[in-house]
């Protein structure tokens, strides 16, 4: 692979104008398709296979509907002043005027007066009433305007001395993913690049390649949506990951290119060696991220699979960009990729570089960790374990009842209805009653009596019978709220105890039941997915490093990083520790999809750092250095790049963590903390300490595995062998090149 990538890099460098033009043509092409017809699906998160999902499908079969395009519903919750009744002349008159105003607003199809005897919706103490609104003809453009008109009516009621809140939301579901905070994060990443390279030219080429890559990836995803609509949150991970890994992968290759220039190689040769060595690591690391993301499909949850595949595509584009567009830019840069003071040096500075690095901070740090290996290992693991403690109290939900913002009018309306009508009034359980023999009406009294006897049931309300007469709907209002454990038990009781009713089949669905089932399914899927990627990690690391114990250390480190990332996210978004800093709403349970998404992404990124760091240690060990000296040597060559890459990742994810969307913010924070924990504690402390403790045993592999495992060259050994033979073939050639054109024969 190293030889092929070296040739690819050199080819892109030689034909740099054509390479850049080709990428620009692709960018313009997918952009034209995307802007001309991208579509987002409006469906909610669905977890097929759950009992509530199956019940919902049965309900639709028995009660077919013809939903209007762009329909929706809202509630106007009105409460009289303290000590007064909403039915008193003054409050009822003001509410009546508001109802008349609502009826003439655009897109309002139906307004139900809560004081109408045919459709009463008044609390038992007669202090609160709920006006129900049905809307139609809603488009993505005017959703926010329609919502504001209804909220203006609520504001006028407040001015009249009543309490009024709007329940429900028509706001578009597409969160902002390229706001000011995200741009600041990208800016910080560029600053890190400048500090790392000491060259604006190199930093600019790195950032430009990454930006073109993420733009191509995202526009490609949106172009696909023109053929098949995608979820509104699908592009989020693609933007976040495409930008982060794009910057990092270009950083790894560009850093190696500069190193080859310092060693005295000509520009074209340095491009080939950089793409052959660092490019091999990028391909392996990128493939690991792609597999982890695409592997989200195995959990059987469509919207998560869609997000994973889209993000995997963005990562694949970033890898391809770093192997083609970046070499073309490197050919334009030449020795300007180096700081000015180094551009005129044309001698091999390897020995000098080693001498300088031997006196540097990184070598000193590596020697300290190796010397205090047991303390370093235990101390690093303890720190991450402490950060992970909040994970023990993590709660998850598919959707937060009343909306995610505790300060919104939507949440206030939800709370008012819960207080006055019961905690389960807004999220009733929908029970589908099916009769196996005869009409269902004859069974309804028995069903209602059964449901009314169950624990935690506040009310049982018949809601209709199918046209065929073989099915009916019953609304069961629980005394507890949608997230209460007692509601979960009630769902289980209906399903289990309802099986004893002769000739009747009971199925439970509705928003509450779907949320509870989906959350449980996602928790189960998380366990399966963690087991899958831990197994994948072990297999990949065994093949890559030809060792049994190094993969165990790498996987254990990943699990510690994952615990730290999820623990920090729980503390911030569930406990509300950084409420003054984080823009997104806090204090709610975490969204159910967050743990599994963070797990997949962080696994890929952790393996990136493992590959770039340990491959250099492995390379030094294979050259005959002792285990401890190999750690110091490999650490000194790769640690700074890993640190810079992690800082860039943290800057990008940190920008997204300040998003106003709790979904985007919580995922980004988990990744930012996880990346920092993995790079600065796991890879800089725990892994070197563990390798030092293991010594030669770290690189042991049984003979029968050595013979059977494929050899993966991510360290560029093939390039060194080609150097000894005196040449490297061009793409498509079958004979050695001339001496002047070999990869390693052009030292200054």
């Amino acid at each position: 692979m190293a030889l092929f990538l070296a040739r690819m890099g050199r080819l892109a460098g030689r034909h740099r104008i054509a390479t850049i033009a080709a990428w620009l043509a692709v960018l313009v092409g997918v952009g034209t398709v995307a802007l001309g017809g991208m579509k987002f699906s409006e469906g909610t998160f669905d977890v097929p296979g759950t009992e509530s999902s199956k019940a919902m499908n049965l309900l639709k079969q028995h009660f077919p509907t013809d939903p209007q395009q762009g329909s929706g519903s809202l509630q106007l919750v009105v409460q009289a002043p303290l000590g007064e009744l909403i039915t008193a002349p003054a409050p009822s008159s003001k509410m009546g005027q508001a109802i008349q105003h609502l009826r003439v607003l655009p897109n309002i199809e139906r307004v139900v007066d809560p004081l109408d005897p045919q459709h009463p919706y008044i609390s038992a103490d007669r202090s609160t009433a709920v006006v129900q609104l049905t809307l139609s003809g809603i488009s993505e453009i005017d959703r926010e305007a329609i919502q504001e008109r209804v909220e203006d009516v609520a504001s006028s009621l407040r001015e009249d001395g009543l309490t009024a809140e709007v329940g429900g939301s028509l706001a578009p579901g597409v969160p902002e993913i390229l706001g000011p905070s995200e741009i600041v994060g990208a800016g910080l990443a560029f600053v890190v690049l400048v500090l790392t390279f000491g060259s604006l030219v190199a930093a600019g080429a790195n950032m430009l390649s990454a930006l073109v890559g993420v733009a191509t990836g995202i526009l490609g995803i949106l172009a696909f949506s023109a053929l098949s609509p995608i979820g509104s949150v699908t592009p989020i991970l693609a933007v976040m990951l495409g930008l982060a890994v794009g910057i990092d992968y270009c950083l790894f290759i560009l850093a190696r290119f500069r190193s080859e220039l310092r060693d005295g190689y000509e520009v074209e040769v340095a491009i080939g060696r950089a793409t052959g060595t660092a490019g091999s690591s990028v391909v392996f690391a990128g493939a690991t991220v792609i597999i982890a993301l695409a592997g989200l499909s195995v959990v059987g949850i469509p919207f998560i699979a869609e997000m994973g595949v889209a993000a995997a595509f963005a990562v694949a584009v970033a890898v391809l960009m770093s192997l083609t567009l970046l070499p073309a830019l490197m050919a334009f840069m030449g020795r300007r990729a180096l700081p000015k003071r180094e551009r005129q040096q044309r001698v091999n500075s390897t020995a000098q570089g080693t001498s300088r690095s031997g006196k540097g901070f990184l070598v000193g740090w590596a020697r300290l960790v190796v010397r205090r290996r047991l303390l370093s290992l235990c101390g690093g693991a303890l720190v991450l374990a402490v950060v992970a403690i909040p994970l023990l109290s993590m709660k998850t939900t598919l959707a937060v009842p009343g909306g995610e913002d505790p300060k919104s009018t939507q949440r206030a309306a939800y709370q008012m209805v819960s207080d006055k009508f019961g905690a389960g009034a807004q999220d009733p359980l929908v029970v589908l009653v099916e009769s196996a023999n005869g009409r269902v009406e004859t069974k309804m009294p028995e069903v209602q009596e059964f449901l009314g006897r169950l624990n935690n049931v506040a009310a049982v309300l018949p809601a209709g019978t199918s046209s065929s007469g073989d099915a009916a709907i019953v609304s069961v209002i629980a005394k507890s709220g949608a997230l209460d454990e007692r509601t979960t038990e009630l769902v289980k009781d209906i399903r289990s105890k309802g099986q004893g009713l002769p000739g009747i089949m009971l199925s439970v669905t509705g928003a509450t039941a779907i949320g509870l089932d989906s959350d449980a399914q996602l928790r189960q899927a998380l366990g399966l997915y963690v087991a899958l990627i831990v197994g994948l990690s072990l297999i990949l690391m065994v093949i890559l490093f030809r060792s049994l114990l190094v993969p165990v250390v790498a996987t254990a480190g990943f699990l510690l990083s994952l615990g730290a990332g999820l623990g920090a996210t729980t503390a911030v978004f569930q406990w509300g520790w950084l409420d003054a800093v984080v823009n997104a709403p806090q204090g709610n349970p975490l969204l159910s999809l967050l743990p599994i998404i963070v797990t997949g992404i962080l696994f890929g990124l952790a393996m990136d750092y493992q590959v770039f760091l340990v491959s250099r240690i492995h390379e030094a060990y294979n050259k005959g250095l002792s285990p401890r000296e190999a750690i110091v040597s490999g650490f000194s060559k790769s640690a700074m790049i890993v640190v810079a890459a992690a800082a860039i990742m943290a800057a990008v994810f940190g920008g997204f963590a300040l998003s106003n969307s709790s979904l985007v913010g919580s995922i980004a924070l988990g990744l930012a903390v996880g990346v920092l924990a993995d790079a600065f504690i796991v890879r800089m402390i725990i892994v070197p300490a563990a390798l030092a403790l293991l010594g030669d045993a770290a690189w042991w592999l049984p003979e029968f595995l050595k013979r059977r495992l494929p050899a993966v060259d991510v360290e560029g050994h093939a390039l060194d062998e080609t150097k000894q033979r005196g040449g490297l073939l061009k793409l498509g050639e079958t004979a050695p090149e001339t001496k002047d054109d070999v990869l390693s024969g052009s030292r200054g």
Side-chain angles (χ1 to χ4, degrees):
M1 181 170 65
L3 288 174
F4 173 78
L5 293 177
R7 295 164 185 163
M8 179 189 294
R10 294 177 67 202
L11 183 66
R14 287 173 182 167
H15 304 283
R16 48 189 178 272
I17 295 178
T19 301
I20 295 172
W23 274 111
L24 290 178
V26 171
L27 180 61
V28 171
V30 294
T32 302
V33 175
L35 296 177
M38 59 182 176
K39 299 175 185 175
F40 293 100
S41 59
E42 296 183 2
T44 57
F45 291 154
D46 181 32
V47 181
T50 60
E51 291 190 47
S52 56
S53 179
K54 295 176 182 177
M56 181 60 73
N57 292 332
L58 289 172
L59 188 146
K60 291 177 180 178
Q61 294 175 16
H62 288 292
F63 298 87
T65 59
D66 185 18
Q68 290 182 295
Q69 183 69 25
S71 60
S73 62
L74 293 173
Q75 293 178 329
L76 177 62
V77 185
V78 185
Q79 191 172 71
L82 186 63
E84 296 186 30
L85 303 178
I86 195 65
T87 54
S92 63
S93 174
K94 294 173 183 176
M95 184 173 67
Q97 294 173 11
I99 291 174
Q100 293 304 317
H101 188 182
L102 288 169
R103 283 176 173 157
V104 300
L105 289 179
N107 305 101
I108 303 291
E109 181 177 307
R110 184 169 181 246
V111 180
V112 180
D113 187 344
L115 302 184
D116 184 348
Q118 298 297 320
H119 306 283
Y121 204 155
I122 308 172
S123 63
D125 63 2
R126 308 184 73 79
S127 68
T128 306
V130 180
V131 181
Q132 301 178 78
L133 311 176
T134 303
L135 303 98
S136 63
I138 305 170
S139 67
E140 290 295 327
I141 298 175
D142 58 11
R143 283 179 179 271
E144 190 172 344
I146 296 171
Q147 178 97 21
E148 289 177 355
R149 293 189 197 112
V150 178
E151 291 179 359
D152 287 342
V153 174
S155 297
S156 66
L157 286 172
R158 295 189 201 107
E159 292 173 359
D160 290 335
L162 302 178
T163 300
E165 302 291 350
V166 178
S169 175
L170 301 177
V174 183
E176 182 183 60
I177 54 177
L178 282 177
S181 59
E182 290 84 354
I183 294 174
V184 170
L188 290 176
F190 181 71
V191 171
V192 174
L193 288 174
V194 173
L195 294 176
T196 302
F197 290 135
S199 167
L200 281 173
V201 174
N206 195 322
M207 183 62 77
L208 177 61
S209 297
L211 290 176
V212 173
V214 73
T216 304
I218 295 306
L219 290 175
I221 294 168
L222 296 178
F224 174 80
S225 74
L227 303 175
S228 176
I230 60 176
S232 59
V233 297
T234 295
I236 294 173
L237 289 184
V239 173
M240 201 184 307
L241 271 183
L243 182 59
V245 302
I247 295 174
D248 273 8
Y249 291 166
C250 289
L251 166 67
F252 292 131
I253 294 176
L254 190 50
R256 188 62 180 250
F257 171 64
R258 285 155 50 91
S259 176
E260 300 296 340
L261 289 178
R262 291 190 181 100
D263 285 350
Y265 290 106
E266 294 292 346
V267 171
E268 183 180 327
V269 179
I271 291 174
R273 290 186 63 85
T275 52
T277 52
S280 297
S281 296
V282 164
V283 169
F284 185 88
T288 305
V289 178
I290 291 169
I291 291 172
L293 290 168
L296 289 169
S297 303
V298 304
V299 302
I301 301 171
F303 65 87
I304 289 183
E306 184 179 84
M307 293 176 73
V309 171
F313 174 75
V315 172
V317 172
V319 171
L320 189 58
M321 188 72 65
S322 68
L323 297 173
T324 54
L325 179 63
L326 181 63
L329 295 178
M330 290 192 298
F332 274 114
M333 285 188 292
R335 297 188 66 81
R336 286 182 298 163
L338 297 172
K340 287 184 178 180
R341 65 180 181 279
E342 299 180 20
R343 292 175 189 172
Q344 302 305 317
Q345 296 177 7
R346 306 281 295 176
V347 297
N348 188 335
S349 57
T350 303
Q352 296 175 2
T354 303
S355 175
R356 288 195 302 269
S357 64
K359 300 177 182 178
F361 171 78
L362 289 178
V363 170
W365 177 260
R367 293 194 183 280
L368 175 64
V369 170
V370 168
R371 187 167 59 251
R372 305 292 184 185
R373 47 195 176 276
L374 185 59
L375 177 62
S376 298
L377 177 64
C378 295
L382 180 61
V383 169
L384 295 183
V386 170
V387 178
I389 288 176
L391 181 59
L392 300 175
S393 66
M394 183 178 71
K395 297 179 181 178
T396 58
T397 181
L398 189 67
V400 179
E404 65 177 23
D405 188 356
K407 300 176 182 178
S408 67
T409 183
Q410 181 185 359
R411 180 69 73 85
Y414 184 92
Q415 193 61 50
M416 287 170 63
V417 174
S418 296
D419 292 342
K420 294 298 181 180
F421 296 87
Q426 292 192 95
D427 301 295
L429 301 175
V430 179
V431 179
L432 175 64
V433 184
E434 297 176 287
S435 176
N437 44 16
R439 298 187 65 81
V440 76
E441 290 96 331
T442 61
K443 304 289 186 179
M444 290 305 294
E446 182 182 358
V447 171
Q448 289 180 248
E449 182 183 358
F450 161 73
L451 294 173
R453 290 198 309 266
L454 295 176
N455 292 331
N456 196 37
V457 172
V460 179
L461 306 173
T465 305
S466 66
S467 57
S468 61
D470 61 351
I473 299 176
V474 178
S475 292
V476 177
I477 299 177
K479 296 178 181 177
S480 55
L483 301 182
D484 196 300
E485 185 63 32
R486 292 175 295 169
T487 305
T488 304
E489 293 302 318
L490 175 58
V491 172
K492 293 179 180 178
D493 286 345
I494 296 174
R495 288 170 175 166
S496 60
K497 297 178 181 179
Q499 296 177 0
L501 297 175
I504 296 174
M505 292 175 290
L506 299 184
S507 305
V508 187
T509 186
T512 296
I514 290 174
L516 294 173
D517 287 350
S518 300
D519 187 58
Q521 182 85 352
L522 283 163
R523 286 176 177 267
Q524 183 179 358
L526 176 61
L528 171 66
Y529 186 61
V530 169
L532 174 68
I533 64 172
V534 165
L536 174 66
S537 170
L538 291 172
I539 293 172
L540 289 176
M541 293 296 112
V542 168
I543 294 173
L544 179 63
F545 296 118
R546 307 185 72 79
S547 161
L548 288 182
L549 295 181
V550 169
V552 173
V553 173
T555 304
F558 155 68
L559 292 175
L560 286 171
S561 302
L562 176 63
L566 293 178
T569 304
T570 302
V572 171
F573 281 90
Q574 184 176 310
W575 292 2
W577 274 16
L578 295 178
D579 186 58
V581 177
V582 176
N583 298 327
Q586 296 175 259
N588 302 315
L590 300 179
L591 294 179
S592 303
L593 70 163
L594 180 141
I596 197 167
I597 289 178
V598 170
T599 298
I601 297 172
L602 192 58
F603 164 73
L605 300 181
M607 293 306 102
D608 283 1
Y609 299 141
Q610 179 74 6
V611 169
F612 288 112
L613 177 67
V614 180
S615 62
R616 297 304 290 261
I617 297 175
H618 190 210
E619 181 181 359
Y621 180 77
N622 286 337
K623 288 181 178 179
L625 294 183
S626 68
R628 296 180 186 177
E629 286 303 317
I631 293 170
V632 175
S633 175
F635 194 92
S636 66
K637 295 176 181 177
S638 59
M640 180 56 69
I641 300 301
V642 171
V643 167
I648 289 169
M649 285 274 189
V652 173
F653 291 146
F656 282 91
L658 298 178
S659 167
N660 292 322
S661 166
S662 61
L663 172 64
V664 177
S666 57
I667 291 175
L669 179 67
L671 293 175
V673 174
V675 162
L676 291 175
D678 195 87
F680 287 91
I681 298 182
V682 173
R683 309 305 157 189
M684 298 292 106
I685 299 176
I686 293 177
V687 167
L691 294 180
L693 281 170
L694 292 172
D696 290 305
W699 309 106
W700 174 78
L701 187 71
E703 287 298 326
F704 75 93
L705 284 179
K706 287 182 180 179
R707 293 192 299 269
R708 289 171 172 79
L709 288 179
V712 180
D713 182 17
V714 297
E715 296 160 10
H717 296 311
L719 298 180
D720 293 331
E721 293 171 3
T722 303
K723 168 186 174 181
Q724 294 172 5
R725 294 196 303 268
L728 179 68
L729 302 182
K730 297 180 181 179
L731 283 172
E733 287 186 350
T734 57
E737 299 174 15
T738 63
K739 253 186 180 180
D740 293 336
D741 200 35
V742 297
L743 264 181
S744 55
S746 300
R747 290 179 183 271

